[in-house]
Every structure is written in C-alpha cells, then in structure tokens.
Amino acid sequence: VYGLLGLAGDADELGIRPDYTTSTTLAQVFTQTARAIIQKNWKIQRKRGLQILRYGSLGQRKSAPKNQTDLPSWVPEWNGKIAKTYQREMSFLACGEIRMPDLVPTSSSTILGLRGFCVGAIVDLGEQARVDIWRRSPDGAKKIVGFFDNVRRLLNM
C-alpha cells in the first residue's frame, strides 16, 4: 500500500502517511486505506464510495495470517489475489438511486458506520446449496431432498 502511494495521483487527498513502526500492523494499514478510499470517494461520488465493499471478505475469509486476524470483514486483503465478494455492478444500492446511505462516526476505526433502517431480523439460516458437490456424493440425492425440505421449512416460518 505504501509503495503505491507514490504512484497515486490522489495520495495527498487520501491522507495516508506511511508508518513503518513495528507497532503498526498490516490489518491497521489495510483498514486505514479502505476507510480513506471510502471517505474520499464518498465526497466525490457517493455511490462509488461503497464499491470497495465488494472486495471485502464479509465473513468469508478462509484463513487469515497472524497479522490479519483483526482485519474487519469489510476491508479487502490487498496482499494477495483480490476477488469480488459480490459480482453485480450495482451492489449496496438498497435505497435506490435517489438516496444514498450516510457515513456515521463510530467508536473504533475497525467499525464502518452507515446510517440505515432495520427492516427485519434473521431468526434462522438454511444450508448453502452445494448441488455440484452433492451430485458426486453417494448420498447426494438425499442431501438435495434435505436441502429442499429445509427451504420449505424456512418458507413456512
């Protein structure tokens, strides 16, 4: 991240200053960088400010190195291959084109605060459909039927 600051034309606007002290963790650098990009883009073009969230893990990290265990789920891992969590171009526009969510201050730099509305609560979860794997399994048909039974149960809640 620090090496790329010299190449970025908007590095001064981001406000990121290289800190090579041993007390600065990789997770802190990644979090500071993600927050700076969100805040800068928010001021210019609000809907683009949250597009970086497409590259966060959102709870899907397979394994985190020791220095990334405190990396928030909304922060991309910029030290490897970056993959989009969500592929659709218009992610995070639940409020439509007219109103965009507001950034709000939080008590910690690892928390991304967005103003929104609570529209419901998750009370139960189903299993992820793994049909491609289940087809190769000896009890695959049973797992597929069980999946649809679970979907029916959730729909009846």
Side-chain angles (χ1 to χ4, degrees):
V1 170
Y2 293 157
L4 293 175
L5 284 175
L7 301 174
D10 58 354
D12 290 337
E13 295 173 40
L14 290 174
I16 300 170
R17 302 290 172 254
D19 179 1
Y20 293 103
T21 60
T22 56
S23 62
T24 303
T25 67
L26 186 58
Q28 288 171 322
V29 173
F30 285 177
T31 303
Q32 174 193 20
T33 303
R35 184 174 292 282
I37 290 170
I38 289 170
Q39 289 173 333
K40 176 191 176 281
N41 288 338
W42 196 259
K43 293 174 188 171
I44 297 169
Q45 190 178 19
R46 294 182 74 178
K47 76 178 180 182
R48 295 284 182 228
L50 296 180
Q51 292 301 317
I52 196 170
L53 296 180
R54 297 169 68 195
Y55 299 95
S57 73
L58 300 177
Q60 298 179 27
R61 282 198 175 85
K62 302 289 187 252
S63 62
K66 289 180 196 172
N67 57 1
Q68 288 185 37
T69 55
D70 55 347
L71 191 64
S73 62
W74 55 271
V75 176
E77 296 176 80
W78 280 304
N79 62 342
K81 182 181 178 188
I82 297 177
K84 292 179 184 176
T85 306
Y86 293 102
Q87 296 297 325
R88 294 196 44 193
E89 186 59 36
M90 298 308 285
S91 300
F92 307 108
L93 289 177
C95 56
E97 293 288 335
I98 299 169
R99 287 191 40 143
M100 298 305 297
D102 295 320
L103 287 173
V104 295
T106 60
S107 60
S108 168
S109 64
T110 61
I111 299 171
L112 180 65
L114 297 169
R115 187 174 323 281
F117 297 97
C118 180
V119 294
I122 297 172
V123 294
D124 200 352
L125 297 172
E127 185 178 353
Q128 180 180 0
R130 305 296 303 239
V131 177
D132 56 327
I133 294 171
W134 294 341
R135 280 193 306 209
R136 291 177 261 159
S137 171
D139 60 342
K142 186 177 181 180
K143 289 182 179 184
I144 292 171
V145 169
F147 171 78
F148 285 108
D149 286 342
N150 195 29
V151 169
R152 185 180 304 110
R153 180 186 62 81
L154 291 171
L155 287 171
N156 289 329
M157 289 182 72

